[in-house]
Amino acid sequence: MISAQKTQTEENVIHPYEPELLVGKEAMEMLEKKAFQEDWDALYDNCTWRTLFQSRDFVTSWYSIYKEEYLPIIILKYTDQQLTGLLCMTTSIQGQNLKNSQHKGRIVGAGHYEAEYQSWLATQESSEEFILKSLDLLRTEFPRCDIYFRYLIPQVPLDWLSSSPRWDKKCIIQAYKRPIVRMDAPDISKLFRKKEFKNKFNRFKRLGNFVFDQITDTKQFSEALPIVIEQFEFRQRAMFNKSQFSDSPEKKQFLQALFEQGLLHVTVMKLNDEIVASVLGLKKDNWYHLGAINTHSPVYGNHSPGFVHFILLCELLSHDKAINFDLTPGGDAYKERMANDHDYVQELCIPHSPLFQKRQLLKYKFHDYLMKLNFRPMSIQLSLKKEKYKVKHWLKRIKSKGLKKTITDWQRQKTKTKEELFILKDSNHNPTTGLHLDKLDDLLNYEENQLGTSSWDFLNDSMQKFANEFHAITCSKNGTLLCLGWLVDPDRWEMVFNKKLPNNEKYPVLLGLEYHPAISDKLDQYVSGMAGFIKKHQNSPKVYLSIASEEQKLLQPLEPIALTEA
């Protein structure tokens, strides 16, 4: 602990004349002191560049919930018994003497990825002196760590960079455009009258009982949260191969804590009592930040539920003209469709070495270059990540299955297998229990199939099928997806595949059959069960099966159907 001369209050709250660094246990003990809590709240209220991500409720909840994964780092400064500066940071390297360690780390604002904006709190008079001395303390105690603030809002004072050449040379700043919806804009109502929104909104209303609602009750939130998480996990894994809640179970607990503190603003969009979209944002001090999660059901992806929900949320927020809806940086097209204003936020990076500084500068320059060419850097990064993932995936398969079989499987994947259409019969002795319609959790249980299709490719393909209004019929057992088929309405099938079913014989089609090797000898029973399931739910006397020749031998003799080109 680095400290200077101190005084004490009746609660043993340390009041140093110089900034003091508290790490780990000492930092957590300080958070428990009532006098310090009151001082923090007072400083927060008086700081003109505060965001809710520096509020006591947000920071202390995050420190407490993520204490097993992140080390709390607090720098505070008192002047004449008044808290005049506070910086809350963290690092994922724990239990080590970082000053002497060869390990390199990263020090970031408390909240890390959960905190959209990271900075310090200070009075106007002490701001420059406080941040300069705080950075000195961090650099002394953690010499091999890079320091990041992501992002700094425009109001954060940065004059100290120009007045301190030593730090100006070490710091790198990158600006990012931030889209905002300002509710006091004279033309805000035009957003809710856009033809695109009206058309999509009316399409949803025609599908059934439509409800848009804000959740304020803890019990309702607890009931909705697992559904919201499932939708979020599906989209994240399908698009980015990320699983935030599985990789970090604390995230769910943190959202619950934020809701109980009144920081989490939750809205859901329901169709026939089913959640089809949601936005969990953070709201305080006339700002609503899109900083938590937003989701939609992929089953209704073709109806743009996320876009409809965002416009309805804007309409709800517009009842308070003082609200600013922060859509957050990222360059997403849907945000630009809604924004009526922009400003710039900045990422501040302080590298620990000249070499890393050069690398970071090159990274930022490349980012600016791509933006000038109208390329979204995150999209380029994702494409590279996918290619790297594919290479690693097939190398792993070569190691387990051998080169010859891997090449054969890869060729079969790339070859478009010709499928034929048959009448699918169901057997009376095959129960339909255990089958589900559009159950995302079953799809998330997918294991690599015989051809080596990765989970990323599988879920991405599933998302595309949902977008084409296909419906998943699944069966899982003990956390493993055993069987999957995609149900398509006859009219939709004809449109997608550009073929015509026989006149007066337009029945639902089951296609895209996937099955686990463990049930290959029982595939006929599972498929027959699917036929019965479809007939019951679709009230259809017949079901068609589209299947490749390799799978036909695993089923009972099938009656082929003659098709014509559309």
Side-chain angles (χ1 to χ4, degrees):
M1 180 175 67
I2 300 173
S3 61
Q5 185 180 355
K6 312 176 186 74
T7 61
Q8 289 185 306
T9 69
E10 67 281 359
E11 288 197 59
N12 296 319
V13 177
I14 299 171
H15 289 179
Y17 293 117
E18 294 293 328
E20 178 168 18
L21 174 66
L22 303 174
V23 179
K25 183 179 178 181
E26 289 179 315
M28 296 301 290
E29 288 175 349
M30 178 61 73
L31 297 177
E32 297 296 323
K33 299 182 184 298
K34 186 177 179 181
F36 174 69
Q37 295 171 4
E38 293 173 350
D39 292 342
W40 185 341
D41 292 343
L43 178 61
Y44 176 89
D45 289 339
N46 291 321
C47 184
T48 56
W49 59 88
R50 67 180 183 266
T51 72
L52 71 82
F53 303 102
Q54 287 78 55
S55 69
R56 180 170 58 85
D57 285 342
F58 182 91
V59 174
T60 55
S61 292
W62 190 87
Y63 274 152
S64 176
I65 291 170
Y66 285 87
K67 61 186 177 183
E68 300 298 326
E69 189 175 352
Y70 291 95
L71 184 74
I73 302 169
I74 295 177
I75 298 177
L76 52 87
K77 182 180 187 300
Y78 275 86
T79 304
D80 297 328
Q81 305 298 310
Q82 178 187 359
L83 183 64
T84 56
L86 178 64
L87 174 62
C88 296
M89 305 292 280
T90 189
T91 179
S92 61
I93 300 177
Q94 303 176 65
Q96 302 180 57
N97 184 350
L98 298 182
K99 188 172 182 179
N100 300 319
S101 173
Q102 294 303 308
H103 295 280
K104 297 179 182 179
R106 176 180 287 198
I107 294 176
V108 297
H112 201 3
Y113 294 118
E114 307 301 331
E116 190 71 25
Y117 303 107
Q118 302 168 4
S119 70
W120 54 96
L121 299 174
T123 60
Q124 290 283 358
E125 300 77 20
S126 64
S127 176
E128 182 171 322
E129 179 189 14
F130 173 72
I131 188 58
L132 288 171
K133 290 186 175 181
S134 294
L135 293 177
D136 282 332
L137 285 177
L138 289 174
R139 180 57 70 228
T140 300
E141 190 73 0
F142 308 107
R144 295 183 63 81
C145 287
D146 306 308
I147 303 169
Y148 281 85
F149 294 91
R150 194 211 66 151
Y151 300 101
L152 299 172
I153 63 172
Q155 293 78 12
V156 176
L158 295 176
D159 294 342
W160 53 273
L161 284 172
S162 57
S163 64
S164 175
R166 180 171 66 92
W167 281 109
D168 190 36
K169 291 179 181 179
K170 294 180 179 180
C171 296
I172 308 171
I173 287 185
Q174 175 70 28
Y176 294 88
K177 192 175 183 180
R178 175 172 70 162
I180 301 171
V181 183
R182 299 200 186 275
M183 299 306 161
D184 61 354
D187 60 348
I188 186 65
S189 61
K190 289 183 180 179
L191 182 63
F192 320 133
R193 298 198 303 267
K194 282 187 175 182
K195 185 176 180 181
E196 179 188 13
F197 164 66
K198 287 293 186 182
N199 289 340
K200 295 180 184 299
F201 179 55
N202 289 331
R203 280 180 65 192
F204 258 112
K205 291 175 72 175
R206 287 194 293 268
L207 292 175
N209 183 28
F210 179 90
V211 174
F212 175 80
D213 195 20
Q214 179 183 351
I215 294 180
T216 57
D217 178 74
T218 302
K219 184 175 181 294
Q220 290 181 355
F221 177 67
S222 297
E223 292 171 350
L225 189 56
I227 301 168
V228 169
I229 290 174
E230 184 181 73
Q231 293 177 0
F232 183 80
E233 288 284 273
F234 180 87
R235 183 170 177 81
Q236 288 287 303
R237 285 184 57 183
M239 293 189 67
F240 311 112
N241 196 36
K242 289 184 177 180
S243 185
Q244 293 189 27
F245 285 91
S246 298
D247 295 342
S248 180
E250 298 92 344
K251 188 177 179 75
K252 179 180 179 181
Q253 185 183 352
F254 185 56
L255 290 176
Q256 290 171 322
L258 293 177
F259 184 82
E260 291 170 1
Q261 292 164 351
L263 295 177
L264 194 67
H265 184 281
V266 181
T267 50
V268 294
M269 199 168 80
K270 292 184 178 182
L271 182 65
N272 299 324
D273 294 325
E274 175 189 352
I275 295 177
V276 296
S278 69
V279 177
L280 281 64
L282 292 151
K283 185 173 179 290
K284 187 179 176 70
D285 296 332
N286 297 330
W287 279 90
Y288 181 104
H289 305 280
L290 194 64
I293 61 174
N294 60 85
T295 77
H296 70 262
S297 169
V299 179
Y300 297 94
N302 200 37
H303 297 270
S304 303
F307 174 69
V308 173
H309 187 107
F310 273 116
I311 302 299
L312 292 174
L313 174 58
C314 284
E315 190 170 21
L316 175 66
L317 295 176
S318 71
H319 297 157
D320 183 351
K321 295 302 180 183
I323 291 290
N324 298 293
F325 186 0
D326 169 23
L327 298 174
T328 69
D332 302 280
Y334 76 91
K335 295 178 180 179
E336 295 302 322
R337 287 154 70 190
M338 294 189 295
N340 59 18
D341 195 10
H342 296 81
D343 64 10
Y344 284 86
V345 296
Q346 301 184 86
E347 180 177 85
L348 173 62
C349 172
I350 309 172
H352 79 282
S353 69
L355 178 61
F356 187 81
Q357 185 181 42
K358 291 178 181 179
R359 287 174 55 190
Q360 197 69 13
L361 275 171
L362 186 62
K363 176 184 174 182
Y364 287 153
K365 287 181 179 179
F366 185 60
H367 175 278
D368 290 341
Y369 175 73
L370 291 175
M371 292 297 289
K372 288 179 181 178
L373 295 177
N374 290 323
F375 287 117
R376 187 168 177 251
M378 287 180 65
S379 299
I380 302 292
Q381 186 179 14
L382 180 61
S383 297
L384 293 174
K385 179 184 175 182
K386 278 185 177 180
E387 292 306 313
K388 182 179 178 181
Y389 173 87
K390 287 178 181 178
V391 171
K392 294 176 90 173
H393 170 75
W394 287 107
L395 287 176
K396 181 180 177 181
R397 189 162 177 84
I398 289 172
K399 188 175 180 180
S400 62
K401 301 293 183 180
L403 179 61
K404 184 176 180 180
K405 179 166 176 50
T406 300
I407 293 175
T408 302
D409 290 344
W410 182 81
Q411 289 174 334
R412 286 177 63 192
Q413 267 197 35
K414 296 300 178 183
T415 303
K416 194 170 183 180
T417 307
K418 183 179 179 180
E419 294 194 352
E420 298 179 72
L421 208 62
F422 302 89
I423 292 178
L424 181 58
K425 298 177 181 179
D426 62 310
S427 302
N428 294 329
H429 65 275
N430 286 321
T432 59
T433 55
L435 294 174
H436 302 103
L437 182 66
D438 297 332
K439 188 176 181 182
L440 300 184
D441 193 47
D442 280 354
L443 296 175
L444 292 171
N445 288 331
Y446 167 83
E447 291 182 0
E448 183 179 299
N449 66 13
Q450 298 99 313
L451 298 183
T453 304
S454 69
S455 60
W456 193 352
D457 286 337
F458 169 79
L459 291 172
N460 190 269
D461 179 70
S462 297
M463 187 171 67
Q464 300 304 319
K465 283 185 167 67
F466 278 132
N468 276 317
E469 298 186 12
F470 293 12
H471 295 275
I473 299 176
T474 55
C475 180
S476 284
K477 187 175 181 180
N478 298 328
T480 299
L481 178 63
L482 296 179
C483 194
L484 162 68
W486 291 93
L487 169 64
V488 190
D489 288 338
D491 292 341
R492 191 71 184 174
W493 185 89
E494 290 182 333
M495 185 180 75
V496 172
F497 295 99
N498 199 32
K499 294 182 181 294
K500 283 288 185 182
L501 295 168
N503 290 332
N504 303 319
E505 293 286 322
K506 295 185 183 295
Y507 302 115
V509 180
L510 182 67
L511 52 77
L513 198 63
E514 298 250 8
Y515 58 94
H516 195 278
I519 67 156
S520 58
D521 60 336
K522 300 176 184 177
L523 182 61
D524 190 69
Q525 295 179 30
Y526 279 86
V527 174
S528 296
M530 286 185 177
F533 182 88
I534 294 170
K535 288 181 179 180
K536 178 181 177 182
H537 284 265
Q538 297 284 309
N539 193 26
S540 175
K542 294 182 181 179
V543 176
Y544 293 135
L545 173 66
S546 179
I547 192 170
S549 57
E550 299 92 74
E551 274 78 41
Q552 289 180 31
K553 61 181 179 289
L554 299 175
L555 305 176
Q556 293 179 2
L558 298 167
E559 179 185 340
I561 297 296
L563 300 173
T564 57
E565 297 294 330

